[in-house]
Amino acid sequence: AFQAKNSPAAAQALTQFLKSSPKSQNAAEAIFLRGECHFLQKSYNDAILDFSVVVEKYPKSKRNATATYRIAQSFEALGKKEDAAAFYQDVQDKFPKSPEAQRLKKSSGKAKHKKG
């Protein structure tokens, strides 16, 4: 369902998976993907909750940079610019070599260039 871009069905299937297998080694990935579903549906508060669980409960997850970035994007979409800025800064500080940090460097460089 997720690959078919059916976010509501995917979110429901992931929730069922997490209920039936809460201690699965795939739990972090399932929570992350459910967060992506919420993000794509513009359910930003739900997305923030799922991405926060990934970051806090699974500190070694390969998805932490993206989850942190998505938290920032979600806060930005909700109009909470200060919260968004704090998470964007976390991406740069904690994951400086990640694609998300590189994206932030490029976008801030463009913004500086436009202002200058």
Side-chain angles (χ1 to χ4, degrees):
F2 184 80
Q3 290 176 341
K5 300 195 189 293
N6 185 346
S7 296
Q12 189 174 17
L14 290 162
T15 298
Q16 285 304 113
F17 168 77
L18 289 164
K19 283 181 181 175
S20 65
S21 306
K23 299 209 185 267
S24 167
Q25 63 187 60
N26 295 321
E29 184 70 8
I31 295 166
F32 175 84
L33 290 174
R34 188 174 64 183
E36 283 287 288
C37 292
H38 292 310
F39 184 83
L40 293 171
Q41 293 174 56
K42 299 182 181 179
S43 297
Y44 298 116
N45 287 317
D46 291 332
I48 290 167
L49 290 173
D50 278 344
F51 292 131
S52 294
V53 169
V54 173
V55 172
E56 292 168 19
K57 263 185 99 171
Y58 305 96
K60 295 183 180 184
S61 170
K62 65 181 180 183
R63 298 291 199 159
N64 281 350
T66 305
T68 304
Y69 188 75
R70 286 292 203 213
I71 292 169
Q73 289 179 306
S74 296
F75 275 126
E76 189 171 4
L78 292 169
K80 298 181 177 183
K81 294 186 188 299
E82 287 182 23
D83 292 326
F87 282 95
Y88 283 133
Q89 190 63 52
D90 275 355
V91 171
Q92 292 178 321
D93 293 346
K94 295 177 183 174
F95 313 101
K97 295 182 181 185
S98 69
E100 293 79 9
Q102 299 307 312
R103 221 174 289 142
L104 287 170
K105 284 180 186 175
K106 286 180 185 176
S107 66
S108 67
K110 288 178 186 175
K112 288 177 185 174
H113 182 67
K114 286 180 184 175
K115 288 180 186 175

